[in-house]
Amino acid sequence: MAYARSKKKVAMSQATQATQASASARLSRATARETQAKANITSQVETTCQSAHIELRHYGPSVSTSTCCEESGRFCAGCARATSDGAACRECAGGFIEREGNCIACADSAGWTNLAGKTCPQLAAADCNDIKVRGKSSNEAWGAPKVLACCTCGGGIISPTPFFYPSVHLVLGSSVRVLPSVRTAPRYSLNEDCEFPDYGLQMDGATGIISRPTGSLYPRRVESFSVECTVTAHQAPGLTYDTPVKIAMDFLNYGAPVLFFEGVKAPQPTVASKAPGEWKDFEVQCAPVVDWLQVDSTTGDLRLTSGTAGGSVDTEDATLAGQHGGICVVKALHKALASDSPAGLQCQYYYGTLTCHVPDLSQKTPGNSVVVPQIDFYNNFPEAQQTSLFCIRCTGYLVITLPGYYQFTQSSDDGAVTYLNGQMIISKPKCGFWAKTSSSHFLHSGTHQLEVAMCEGGGSEIWKLEYQGPDTNGSKITVPESALQQHDEVPL
């Protein structure tokens, strides 16, 4: 297998101040707010969170404390401090109020006061009653009788709690497990035109966790892809929040669409993640020119070097405005691992009182078996025990390297059929002289289930399967042995 050219396009930024690499604009803004809050802190109480927990940070007048919250718990949303075991929320953040063990975003009905002149934020639970002032009480909302007006009294105006998903950039064949940050609802759904199933991605409707098992290649694709869907969190009847989630997989990846580099003293490289196989001849090209960036020609790792900072790059995160940077493409030669599956197709012969049209051979008992390198026979069927009144059925997988439209041509005397991915694409159902039939289909890179069958009623014995498309440079050729394999394995 020859080397193929692979490339990865990313944005590069050289930070003018210490900046932590992040693919999420929201995370960057949160970090900026946290940095401002830390300016007034004189002491910190730190906690190291275990796996399956998230860190919650609470800022007091002079002390910053961190606690750990179980990432699967809805009580983490809107929580400022968790209990010591992380199994419940101890204190809700500002703008949130505790309801049934969870922190709910709640706003009081504006402008209301009780007889004592207290507004909703000034009320204690004991102050809640049905006494109306100017036609309203703390136990009813504006224009909505029997709904409490004040959050303290168990009502108020409830808003959906925002959440987001981190941007996911991985190499092909990697496992995927993406959690909402944070879990806010008992039920999640996807937009109706979401293409997650096309890429083997799943979502747990109860937790919002998106996953893809390690090595999952259903459907059998080996080209890069990027898919974006909208997740809706159903937090309560009539209360929902939508957020996008994007998952991308490439042969070559650096973990984020925007890479940040800081400092010039013993800088750590940004390590390249690569699909299995042999890699060589890495190079990087940027616009505007980024002469402070260097790529290791052997490993693909990126490193900040001395150079003149010039040019800039726009990203979705406005906090990066003014940073030096550019749009860069890393290129390399890649040779995928060879498949362990034997080449060719597995075939079975069927004998007896068969006609020259193809019956359902799956319901019949085969005679002898043979492995053939390709479908190209003219009175020379290998190991056939008779020259007429037989059928042959061959199964295996077609390997497509370059995606695109492929035309398949079947030549036969007598009847023959061709199935691709379980669908009949070509059929010559009757006896008669040699004839050709064709059909065109779009195929993704990867393996595709192939089944072909032919029956011989007498006379000449002809059977051939050809194709043309991106893998053949547009020429019509017999489907070669190198494009056929007996088992469903792909080079990843």
Side-chain angles (χ1 to χ4, degrees), residues 8 23 167-171 226 246-250 253-257:
K8 177 61 181 176
S167 183
V168 178
H169 294 259
L170 302 167
V171 295
S226 177
K246 182 177 182 180
I247 297 176
M249 283 193 169
D250 305 293
N253 209 293
Y254 291 92

Side-chain angles (χ1 to χ4, degrees), residues 12 47 50 78 83 102 108 118 123 131 165 214 245 267 341 395 449 455-456 472:
M12 307 291 179
T47 300
Q50 300 176 352
T83 55
N102 297 320
D108 296 314
K118 292 183 179 181
L123 296 181
I131 300 176
Y165 285 89
T214 303
V245 56
S341 175
T395 58
Q449 186 179 25
C455 288
E456 173 57 35
T472 70

Side-chain angles (χ1 to χ4, degrees), residues 429-464:
K430 299 180 180 180
C431 304
F433 295 104
W434 169 84
K436 286 186 176 183
T437 48
S438 299
S439 179
S440 295
H441 302 271
F442 183 90
L443 298 180
H444 292 281
S445 300
T447 57
H448 300 264
Q449 186 179 25
L450 179 66
E451 177 183 341
V452 290
M454 179 262 189
C455 288
E456 173 57 35
S460 298
E461 308 161 14
I462 302 173
W463 192 27
K464 188 173 186 177

Side-chain angles (χ1 to χ4, degrees), residues 30-109:
T31 301
R33 290 193 296 268
E34 180 177 308
T35 301
Q36 180 61 39
K38 285 181 178 179
N40 300 322
I41 299 299
T42 59
S43 63
Q44 297 184 8
V45 179
E46 300 292 339
T47 300
T48 301
C49 296
Q50 300 176 352
S51 61
H53 287 71
I54 59 176
E55 181 185 8
L56 303 178
R57 185 167 290 279
H58 176 264
Y59 295 99
S62 60
V63 178
S64 167
T65 60
S66 65
T67 55
C68 302
C69 188
E70 294 178 359
E71 64 182 8
S72 60
R74 289 174 56 196
F75 52 83
C76 295
C79 183
R81 286 193 291 180
T83 55
S84 58
D85 60 359
C89 182
R90 177 182 173 188
E91 179 184 347
C92 293
F96 290 82
I97 190 168
E98 191 274 330
R99 295 274 174 85
E100 299 179 352
N102 297 320
C103 295
I104 305 299
C106 183
D108 296 314
S109 297

